[in-house]
Amino acid sequence: MEELIIIDAHSHLWLRQDTTWNGQAIRSLKNGRSLFLGEEVQMLSPFMIDGRNTAEVFLSCMDYAQVHAAVVVQEFIDGQQNGYLKTVSREHPDRFFCYAMADYLRPGFYEEALRLLAVDGFRGLAIPAHRLLGQSLCSDEMMKMFRLMEANDKMLSITLADGDEQVGQLREVIEECPRLKVAIGHLGMASPPTTPPWQNRSWQEQIKLARHRNVMIESGGITWLYNSEFYPFPSAIRAIREAAALVGFDKLMWGSDYPRTITAITYRMSYDFVVKSQELREDEKRLFLGENARRFYGFTQLPVLPYIKNMSE
């Protein structure tokens, strides 16, 4: 098989976690751990002893795993990382597409979004909408921002709450701004195999939004959603196939949710289960693992990443 182009459509970077959520602290500790909402958790791999989740460490992981490029999104629980990601975008333009994030929790965020896009040069905005359940995605200020993004060819990365609670709102945004490019995260928060039928979260309704021309679905965190099964994540493969049956493989992109997911598995394992699956055709794997993301995000100058064998091989 020819070399696969592999692009990670959902990852995170930060210099340090130092924020709060719902009044509880989130702080980087040592040895890859963080204080997270009153609990000490393994947020990073234990060799990341200083709590810094940097582009340089990620690039080393990407090169080793033969991942050509990555899309960096943002989340409130990590704190805003706009300053650092502006530097990453400048220093590594061929390897990273970095989204900015405004403080959507505060009225007046439109002006911040305008500065991030027009002055700081970000090519898109990330919205962790699952943490904005008390706000409407169709508010006057949100719609003003979306129209600005559409008019200036900026992109939107968005994660919705479980199920279809916010689907109607995002559909209204998409219909109002049909040229706005949208990437919906976490494979629509696909239901894990342990979810009883009577608790069906209707994740497929999120997937169906990709029937609109400029909307894509990325699978960031899918190994977390199906962590109870562990590698090779057979139900995750079935969820990918189910999503493809709804919108087609040309609408789906692989994402790892690096670095949190690689506390349980290696970075290569976060996509290798797709490569080795017997349930997907080779052309489907190519689209899902990289070709769709290369087209959607416009990656052109991708590096050549030769395989370096392990000493133990």
Side-chain angles (χ1 to χ4, degrees):
M1 186 173 68
E2 297 179 12
E3 179 189 9
L4 279 171
I5 296 299
I6 303 177
I7 296 174
D8 189 341
H10 187 117
S11 66
H12 301 272
L13 294 174
W14 61 77
L15 288 182
R16 185 172 180 81
Q17 289 180 312
D18 185 8
T19 188
T20 60
W21 183 253
N22 288 339
Q24 293 185 288
I26 302 171
R27 300 279 187 275
S28 294
L29 302 175
K30 63 180 181 179
N31 299 335
R33 300 172 186 172
S34 291
L35 175 64
F36 183 73
L37 307 180
E39 181 182 13
E40 186 172 320
V41 301
Q42 194 71 44
M43 185 72 66
L44 305 171
S45 294
F47 61 79
M48 300 164 79
I49 59 175
D50 59 1
R52 289 164 56 91
N53 171 32
T54 65
E56 287 71 27
V57 171
F58 191 19
L59 281 169
S60 180
C61 292
M62 290 166 61
D63 289 351
Y64 172 73
Q66 297 178 288
V67 174
H68 294 79
V71 178
V72 182
V73 303
Q74 294 198 55
E75 235 275 29
F76 288 132
I77 62 172
D78 300 325
Q80 287 180 292
Q81 303 293 327
N82 296 319
Y84 179 52
L85 295 186
K86 180 180 177 181
T87 299
V88 171
S89 297
R90 182 178 67 248
E91 294 181 350
H92 307 285
D94 297 334
R95 302 298 299 275
F96 292 116
F97 181 107
C98 296
Y99 281 99
M101 183 177 72
D103 187 355
Y104 312 109
L105 295 167
R106 299 177 183 272
F109 61 80
Y110 173 84
E111 295 301 325
E112 181 186 11
L114 177 61
R115 175 182 57 78
L116 289 167
L117 297 173
V119 178
D120 292 344
F122 281 98
R123 296 165 57 195
L125 293 173
I127 301 181
H130 60 306
R131 304 195 188 277
L132 300 174
L133 291 179
Q135 300 174 224
S136 172
L137 297 175
C138 305
S139 69
D140 290 344
E141 189 167 20
M142 278 286 187
M143 292 306 300
K144 182 180 180 182
M145 183 180 73
F146 293 139
R147 293 187 189 98
L148 170 75
M149 295 170 67
E150 180 190 36
N152 290 276
D153 198 26
K154 303 297 184 179
M155 304 177 78
L156 171 65
S157 168
I158 190 164
T159 297
L160 300 180
D162 290 5
D164 58 3
E165 183 172 354
Q166 295 174 306
V167 167
Q169 295 176 37
L170 184 56
R171 182 183 296 111
E172 185 174 335
V173 171
I174 293 167
E175 292 174 352
E176 178 72 18
C177 303
R179 297 190 312 279
L180 176 65
K181 289 187 174 182
V182 181
I184 299 172
H186 297 307
L187 202 73
M189 294 299 289
S191 298
T194 55
T195 303
W198 60 88
Q199 293 180 5
N200 188 340
R201 296 178 295 176
S202 303
W203 63 276
Q204 298 93 340
E205 296 306 309
Q206 293 191 34
I207 304 300
K208 291 176 185 177
L209 290 174
R211 292 173 176 173
H212 292 269
R213 180 178 180 181
N214 289 313
V215 180
M216 300 286 286
I217 304 292
E218 45 93 340
S219 71
I222 193 169
T223 59
W224 158 65
L225 290 171
Y226 294 92
N227 185 59
S228 62
E229 284 190 342
F230 203 67
Y231 188 92
F233 309 106
S235 292
I237 293 293
R238 286 192 285 272
I240 293 167
R241 292 184 62 193
E242 185 173 352
L246 292 171
V247 297
F249 262 97
D250 61 337
K251 285 287 192 169
L252 306 180
M253 303 182 291
W254 166 71
S256 71
D257 210 5
Y258 174 98
R260 283 179 271 266
T261 49
I262 66 164
T263 58
I265 58 175
T266 68
Y267 186 46
R268 182 183 291 272
M269 288 169 69
S270 66
Y271 74 82
D272 190 58
F273 75 99
V274 174
V275 174
K276 293 180 178 176
S277 172
Q278 299 300 309
E279 298 187 46
L280 302 175
R281 300 195 312 264
E282 296 306 314
D283 61 316
E284 294 170 341
K285 295 174 184 178
R286 287 184 175 280
L287 291 172
F288 180 66
L289 290 173
E291 293 298 343
N292 290 337
R294 176 160 66 172
R295 168 179 52 82
F296 189 67
Y297 284 104
F299 286 108
T300 55
Q301 302 298 318
L302 295 175
V304 175
L305 298 175
Y307 177 73
I308 305 299
K309 76 172 186 177
N310 294 322
M311 186 177 177
S312 58
E313 290 183 65

